[in-house]
Amino acid sequence: MKVLVIGGGAREHALCRSLSLDPDVTALYCAPGNAGIAEVAELRPVDQLDGAAVAALATELGADLVVVGPEAPLVAGVADAVRAAGVPVFGPSKEAAQLEGSKAFAKDVMAAAGVPTARSYVCTTPAEIDEALDAFGAPYVVKDDGLAAGKGVVVTDDVEAARAHALACDRVVIEEYLDGPEVSLFAICDGTTVLPLRPAQDFKRALDGDEGPNTGGMGAYSPLPWADPKLVDEVMQTVLQPTVDELRRRGTPFSGLLYAGLAITSRGVRVIEFNARFGDPETQVVLARLKTPLAGVLLNSANGTLADQAPLSWSDDAAVTVVVASHNYPDTPRTGDPIEGLAEIAEQDAPHAYVLHAGTKRDGDAIVSAGGRVLSVTATGSDLAEARERAYAAVGRIRLDGSQHRTDIALKAAGA
């Protein structure tokens, strides 16, 4: 099978790494990719938001499967263009991707499907914004209705900060605050069948102790030793299957990766948000634990044959990923700094720890930073404590001027 992956972050590196280990994959391409992905896949240039260009590249390469990684191409309809060219594609249609592309659309689908979520108001005027903020009170949860690369949400006790964020958005969803720990659960779907993966938890705030601004994610771990063993079954029955059924009923079946961001509240499981693609950095730890070869599972999703998929096989190992971010992230990051220590990790920490590249590029013989989140250092171990220890040992070898990372990823869960 020839596979083309679209994207160039750590999520796509994790996908490419798993696909490169799949014996059924005979050729692996990534467009546009990054410096790390180049080690496991052949890179090709492409405008990943241009559906015609992606479809033409897939056809030229003779791809048997296209995997669209990021949300922006999905919301732009890239999967539709590839499908129209007759190439199987893992990723939802433009219409179904509105589950992530529009918070208001997602709320409407959840209401119709009876999916438990936060009460909310969709606001377009200053008067509506003030009314919604007053109705819910602090802490205020304000979400840009459109795509914002994981940074469109403000949670604050400061009503003026909440109002300022709301006014900066064209259309905004203001909702009640959900207490309790957060969980990410991915499911592979083909429009009818839903195949859940193992849950993970990510860390959105920039600083230790969940302080600082929201980011795209600073680390993650799996499994969740504190979670109810019946959690996945419950979410399947109350969230994932009803959502997929409702979208099919509407004539916009969801095929691809459905990501449920959940809060385990005092009143039960509630959906915080849906995404229409693998999450970053949770993908890094979930795929680290998946033993079933990946390509066939994704192809079954693309072909509508997930019902024929054998049960997935999982490692009992734990996985932890720590994001190394550039200076000033999540504000405008500094780029172009050389990254050193990668060869030492490959020599001394493999196979238990490895580096997935996010914002990197090659500059002559050097690899340099090229984004806010630069690397995802991922490690496995017999339990979370061992996986943490291995991940942070590898992080300690990385030399990137001005870089930052959290030191408490999976700390509480590991019982430390």
Side-chain angles (χ1 to χ4, degrees):
M1 196 191 304
K2 294 180 180 177
V3 183
L4 168 63
V5 176
I6 302 301
R11 162 188 46 226
E12 288 76 33
H13 194 174
L15 287 164
C16 286
R17 178 182 182 272
S18 290
L19 290 165
S20 74
L21 298 172
D22 186 333
D24 287 339
V25 175
T26 52
L28 181 60
Y29 306 93
C30 188
N34 63 38
I37 294 173
E39 295 174 13
V40 294
E42 186 179 317
L43 302 192
R44 292 298 179 98
V46 80
D47 175 354
Q48 56 186 352
L49 298 179
D50 184 339
V54 173
L57 177 61
T59 303
E60 176 200 329
L61 295 173
D64 301 297
L65 174 67
V66 173
V67 179
V68 183
E71 60 272 27
L74 292 167
V75 172
V78 166
D80 303 88
V82 177
R83 273 193 197 94
V87 181
V89 59
F90 180 79
S93 66
K94 179 177 183 175
E95 275 113 344
Q98 285 302 303
L99 209 53
E100 177 168 7
S102 167
K103 305 288 189 296
F105 175 79
K107 288 289 186 183
D108 185 61
V109 169
M110 283 188 267
V115 169
T117 185
R119 292 181 300 122
S120 63
Y121 293 104
V122 180
C123 307
T124 55
T125 68
E128 288 173 348
I129 288 165
D130 288 341
E131 190 178 334
L133 293 173
D134 289 345
F136 288 131
Y140 303 99
V141 181
V142 183
K143 299 181 175 181
D144 189 333
D145 181 48
L147 285 185
K151 302 187 209 63
V153 181
V154 166
V155 181
T156 178
D157 289 321
D158 181 344
V159 69
E160 291 308 321
R163 182 177 288 115
H165 182 65
L167 291 170
C169 305
D170 286 338
R171 189 159 83 145
V172 68
V173 175
I174 296 174
E175 62 185 39
E176 68 176 326
Y177 176 75
L178 296 175
D179 63 331
E182 295 185 13
V183 172
S184 300
L185 184 62
F186 301 162
I188 293 172
C189 312
D190 67 358
T192 303
T193 302
V194 180
L195 185 67
L197 305 185
R198 291 291 165 90
Q201 186 175 56
D202 80 330
F203 294 75
K204 283 282 183 235
R205 299 284 185 171
L207 307 175
D208 284 7
D210 292 328
E211 299 288 330
N214 248 351
T215 71
M218 294 299 290
Y221 69 93
S222 179
L224 313 182
W226 49 268
D228 186 328
K230 299 191 289 292
L231 175 66
V232 173
D233 289 341
E234 180 187 345
V235 175
M236 268 292 288
Q237 291 167 16
T238 63
V239 175
L240 297 170
Q241 193 70 58
T243 300
V244 169
D245 290 346
E246 171 62 18
L247 285 166
R248 187 175 71 254
R249 189 190 68 76
R250 292 176 179 219
T252 55
F254 189 98
S255 169
L257 196 289
L258 178 57
Y259 163 137
L262 308 164
I264 314 300
T265 77
S266 52
R267 293 170 292 119
V269 174
R270 298 287 184 273
V271 175
I272 301 168
E273 65 175 354
F274 283 128
N275 290 331
R277 40 74 195 181
F278 278 104
D280 183 345
E282 300 99 320
T283 302
Q284 288 85 303
V285 292
V286 173
L287 291 185
R289 301 184 60 220
L290 179 64
K291 289 164 70 174
T292 302
L294 184 60
V297 186
L298 303 186
L299 187 62
N300 277 333
S301 163
N303 287 337
T305 52
L306 261 188
D308 302 332
Q309 174 67 44
L312 298 179
S313 175
W314 296 91
S315 167
D316 291 331
D317 281 356
V320 171
T321 195
V322 179
V323 170
V324 177
S326 53
H327 179 73
N328 206 39
Y329 179 78
D331 291 327
T332 306
R334 193 174 80 202
T335 58
D337 289 310
I339 304 164
E340 297 178 336
L342 299 175
E344 293 164 39
I345 295 171
E347 288 167 12
Q348 299 180 45
D349 300 284
H352 301 298
Y354 49 89
V355 179
L356 298 168
H357 291 232
T360 69
K361 68 176 184 182
R362 189 164 280 286
D363 183 7
D365 290 336
I367 292 175
V368 301
S369 61
R373 292 186 296 172
V374 182
L375 305 168
S376 283
V377 180
T378 304
T380 55
S382 58
D383 56 21
L384 285 173
E386 185 174 48
R388 272 193 96 246
E389 190 180 312
R390 287 171 170 171
Y392 280 107
V395 168
R397 302 190 202 281
I398 291 169
R399 297 179 294 284
L400 171 61
D401 189 44
S403 69
Q404 53 175 319
H405 65 270
R406 281 184 59 160
T407 66
D408 62 348
I409 304 301
L411 181 63
K412 278 186 195 161

